[in-house]
Amino acid sequence: MSSSSPSLPRDAHTNNYLPLFYFNVFFACVSFSIIMPSLSPYLERCGAGDPTYLAWVVCIYSIGEMVGSLLFGALYNHSVQKSRTEGPRFVLCVVVLTGIVGSVLYLLGDILKCPSLVFWARLLQGLWTGGQQSVEQAYLAFAAKPGERTELTSRLGTFAVLGFILGPAFGAMFTTVNFRIDMLNLTVDPYTAPGIFILFIGFAMFIATYTRFRPSAVSGREMTGHSSKSSLEALNGSVDGDSETAGLLGGDSKYLPKPSTTAITSLLIMFFVHFYSFAVQETITTPLVLNLYEFEQYQVNLLFIGVGVLSLFTSAAVGFLSRFFSDRAMLVLSLVLGLVGSLLLVDSNKEFLPLPRFFLGFAIITVAFPFGRNVTISIFSAVLGEVEQGFYMGLMLAVGAIPRALGPFWAILSLKLAADENTGMYHTWLEFGTSSFLFVASLLLIIPTFKTLVPFEDYYGLGGEEGEGEDAEVGAKSPKGKHQMTLIKVGDRRNSLRPSTVAQIQGEFDSSQNLTGLIGSSFGSAKKSDRDKKEWFGGRGKGGGGGGYGAVE
């Protein structure tokens, strides 16, 4: 890389947004789990007579997450086009304000004895959590330096899991609270205190976001010189006499090729499958263990505490393992683990699921989800490259919210359909047979799409942030000393440059030392030391930038 680089704002060199994001995602997850133990009796006190109303209130939260992810993701894209430094903060503040309004409605449900207000409150709180995830993940994809994305995404996931685990603990602090505020006609007790707590947390989030969040105008790729835009600018500047070539390479350098549709579609499907497995697990665990093993309530609580701790350690492990294994390798591992765990939980019509096998399969599925969620988001972000990722991240999170909204209905129905007619005890073959089928389909899908699940720069040969697998070797095939530039793997990409154009560029500039230096500084040199950093299913060289389709020797 060129030793000289443009001066960057001082705060652009630090991840100063991370503590705020950790705080936000932690308490957003607390806001979900803190009220779940008290939601059913709270609805009854508000006047909800039908027990099925609880299911709709739980469902509307997931629908809110889905809509909020798309809505605020699109708003993020629109806002950053106007101001890179103010847009992300504006959208995040709007997201938090939505959650504050939802918290107010939640309390008004008890004051006015109107359960429908609780319904709409949970919708707004779902919009809040979905929007916050898409906005923060989109900004992280922009601001993270090459090689950091998986680890930082895993850290966010760790704080999310920690919030889910500690939410009931925060709620337990209010179990002895009981007093009345006559001015507001509000009773503060174990049913309303969690809602009041989340309301104050919302105000704290808004103040912290408004005063502490200072988005950078410089992306993580630009900090390290791995920007595909700068690569195009360098190449366009060198071939400005050839209008056709310049247009194919991006015209005025504002436009980049579109991300791989194949990769995006396959990743969305895999994300859906992982979240379906998670939705099934969180829905049927309690009725399953009560029905089959006659657990006491404290045993159910201990089971969920164990799940939370295991998820926490797994989320932390993903970030650590990303230093040694490629994202694609860990994605395959997550699908294999999901399949193995689901198969272990499949019984037959003649026997019921043994408790030891239930524990083993349950634990493996618990491990598979953090791997699948965090790694899929990381690969998805890398595949998108430098396009504004707000809407795309919203789309991914919305796809993950679909099974959480609809999955619980099928999960309960499948247990009832497969239940023993004489004893009423549950069989699991239908439910976890469905999960096993989806994981098998995902593993089959990854075979033809595996080569597309690479960073945007590697896919189009613009000097990737990290060479992966065989893609990293393509640029190294040029004979040393001849300065041959392989822009892309001609013929293997739907949107590739025409072979005649590549030949024209290579022929016209084959002996140009100045151009070679210019392009070499933009695309990165395929050094042997970088190419040797290959690991299982593709290396993760932290040096970044070398190799890829755009290498110059």
Side-chain angles (χ1 to χ4, degrees), residues 33-260:
S33 59
I34 193 175
I35 70 165
M36 291 307 293
S38 61
L39 182 58
S40 179
Y42 182 69
L43 284 171
E44 291 181 13
R45 195 169 80 177
C46 292
D50 189 353
T52 59
Y53 198 74
L54 172 64
W56 286 108
V57 171
V58 174
C59 176
I60 198 63
Y61 181 90
S62 296
I63 293 176
E65 277 191 302
M66 179 172 57
V67 175
S69 299
L70 292 169
L71 176 64
F72 288 112
L75 181 60
Y76 174 89
N77 281 2
H78 177 74
S79 298
V80 296
Q81 289 175 0
K82 293 186 175 181
S83 174
R84 170 56 68 183
T85 57
E86 295 296 331
R89 183 176 65 164
F90 167 75
V91 179
L92 199 53
C93 284
V94 173
V95 169
V96 177
L97 281 175
T98 303
I100 291 174
V101 174
S103 299
V104 172
L105 290 181
Y106 187 82
L107 295 174
L108 286 175
D110 184 56
I111 294 173
L112 302 177
K113 302 304 177 186
C114 181
S116 62
L117 288 178
V118 181
F119 178 87
W120 295 112
R122 294 302 286 168
L123 172 63
L124 291 178
Q125 289 174 328
L127 290 171
W128 167 31
T129 54
Q132 182 173 285
Q133 290 180 79
S134 63
V135 170
E136 291 185 354
Q137 191 61 52
Y139 182 78
L140 186 150
F142 168 81
K145 295 178 182 178
E148 288 183 334
R149 189 181 298 108
T150 301
E151 186 168 356
L152 295 183
T153 300
S154 298
R155 287 184 193 173
L156 279 178
T158 300
F159 277 89
V161 172
L162 195 59
F164 282 119
I165 295 173
L166 296 182
F170 279 99
M173 297 188 302
F174 307 117
T175 54
T176 59
V177 174
N178 195 343
F179 62 92
R180 183 170 177 79
I181 304 176
D182 293 327
M183 183 184 302
L184 300 177
N185 192 30
L186 176 65
T187 299
V188 182
D189 59 14
Y191 301 140
T192 56
I196 296 173
F197 176 76
I198 293 304
L199 177 60
F200 281 104
I201 287 297
F203 282 116
M205 278 189 188
F206 181 82
I207 294 171
T209 300
Y210 185 77
T211 59
R212 302 297 299 173
F213 187 29
R214 293 292 181 266
S216 172
V218 183
S219 72
R221 291 179 178 87
E222 291 170 330
M223 293 180 202
T224 53
H226 294 146
S227 171
S228 52
K229 292 180 181 179
S230 62
S231 300
L232 281 174
E233 287 171 1
L235 189 54
N236 279 337
S238 304
V239 296
D240 54 1
D242 185 345
S243 59
E244 180 186 20
T245 301
L248 287 169
L249 292 173
D252 59 1
S253 301
K254 283 197 306 182
Y255 304 103
L256 291 171
K258 292 182 179 180
S260 167

